[in-house]
Amino acid sequence: QTLTERSLDAVAHLIKSGKARRVVVMTGAGISTAAGIPDFRSPETGLYANLAALDLPEPEAVFDLVFFKQNPRPFYVLAKDLYPGNFHPTVSHVFISLLAQKSLLHQLFTQNIDCLERAAGIPGHLIVEAHGSFADQRCIDCKTAYPADLMRAHVARAEVPRCVDVECGGLVKPDIVFFHEALPSLFYDRMPLAETADLVLVMGTSLQVHPFAGLPEQVPGDVPRVLFNLERVGSLGSHADDVLVLGDCDSGVRLLADALGWREELEATWRG
Ligand code: OAD
C-alpha cells in the first residue's frame, strides 16, 4: 500500500463512521478535462497555451472585462469551444453527486463555467458557481437579458451578440465572472460553510485565482483536506491531516470510492 492509499482509507473511515457528515468540495477545470474540455493553465493542453492565434496581450485578456469592451471577438472564438451542450459529466462530477445523494455534501464551490455539476444531478442549492456560468447572458451596458437561442446561434458562428434593444446596442456577455468583475454575492454568503466543514475535497484546480484560492485557507487546521490533482497546489499538504492524491482526479476518486464500497454505484451512475 502506498501512503496515499492508506490515507484514503482513513478518509473513507471518517465518512463511513459518520464522523464526516459535512463535506465541502472545491473544484476547478481539472475535473472537466476528462470530459474533453481543456483547462486553463496546463502547459501544453491548457487554453492559455493555445491562444496565440487570437493575438492577445496576455492569455487572461480573453476573460478580462476591460479588454472585452475593446475587443470581444477573441472571447467569442473561444466560447465556441467551451459552450455547454456537447459534454458529459466525469467520474469526479458523479462522485460529488453521490455525496449529495447520501446527504453528505455540505456545499460545492466550483470555478467551472461548463454547467457539468448540474448535468451530473447535483442539486442547485448545493452549488456555488463562483465564476458564474454560460447558463444566462445579458447586455453589459443596460443589463437586459439576452435570449438563449440567439446566444447559441451566435456562439456557433463565433459572432459577437449585441443588445436586443437596438437603441442600446451594447455588447452581450454570458454571466461568467471576468477579471475586473465581482464574484456573485452567493460566494461570500456561502464562504462560512468552509469553516464548518468536517472534510474538504479540493479537485482539479491550480488555486491561482483569488478570492477562490483563499477558500481552502478558511478550513480549520484540524479538518482533513484531500487534494485530487495532477500537481500539488496552494497550501495543500501543509496541514498534518491533509491528504495528497496526486494523479488524474477520476482515478483518485475511484480509489476513494473503492475504500468506501461505492465503486459499483459510482460506475453505474456514471454510465447512466
Ligand atoms: P487551471 O487550468 O488553472 O488549473 C487546473 C488544475 O487541474 C491544474 O493544477 C492541473 O494540473 C490540474 N488538472 C488538469 N487535468 C487534471 C485531471 N484530469 N485530474 C487532476 N488534475 C488535473 O484551472 P482553474 O484552477 O479552474 O476563470 O482556473 C481558475 C480560473 O482561472 C478559472 O475559473 C478561469 C481561469 O481564468 C474564469 O473563467 C473566469
Side-chain angles (χ1 to χ4, degrees), residues 12-130:
H13 180 72
L14 280 178
I15 295 176
K16 284 195 288 189
S17 66
K19 287 198 180 101
R21 299 160 194 262
R22 294 188 305 272
V23 184
V24 167
V25 183
M26 304 169 184
T27 60
I31 72 160
S32 293
T33 52
I37 304 171
D39 69 4
F40 298 92
R41 295 180 181 79
S42 280
E44 280 169 21
T45 54
L47 278 175
Y48 290 159
N50 290 290
L51 294 177
L54 295 180
D55 205 15
L56 299 165
E58 73 268 326
E60 279 88 350
V62 76
F63 291 116
D64 187 303
L65 191 62
V66 177
F67 181 81
F68 180 80
K69 286 176 180 168
Q70 293 161 5
N71 184 5
R73 278 207 63 81
F75 171 76
Y76 278 99
V77 171
L78 199 67
K80 195 166 178 252
D81 293 334
L82 290 178
Y83 206 62
N86 302 318
F87 304 109
H88 297 285
T90 65
V91 168
S92 297
H93 290 101
V94 171
F95 182 83
I96 304 167
S97 80
L98 285 189
L99 287 173
Q101 264 179 41
K102 296 172 192 296
S103 302
L104 292 165
L105 184 65
H106 198 38
Q107 195 69 210
L108 166 64
F109 293 91
T110 181
Q111 297 165 94
N112 297 347
I113 53 179
D114 53 31
C115 301
L116 286 182
E117 300 83 6
R118 303 184 210 191
I122 301 166
H125 71 278
L126 293 177
I127 306 173
V128 173
E129 290 172 332

Side-chain angles (χ1 to χ4, degrees), residues 29 33 39-41 48 111 131 177 205-206 229-231 249:
T33 52
D39 69 4
F40 298 92
R41 295 180 181 79
Y48 290 159
Q111 297 165 94
H131 294 165
V177 180
T205 173
S206 64
N229 210 56
L230 288 178
E231 52 177 356
C249 51

Side-chain angles (χ1 to χ4, degrees), residues 235-256:
S235 70
L236 275 292
S238 67
H239 293 178
D241 289 333
D242 286 349
V243 177
L244 302 178
V245 187
L246 301 184
D248 81 88
C249 51
D250 287 352
S251 301
V253 157
R254 283 183 160 117
L255 288 176
L256 179 55

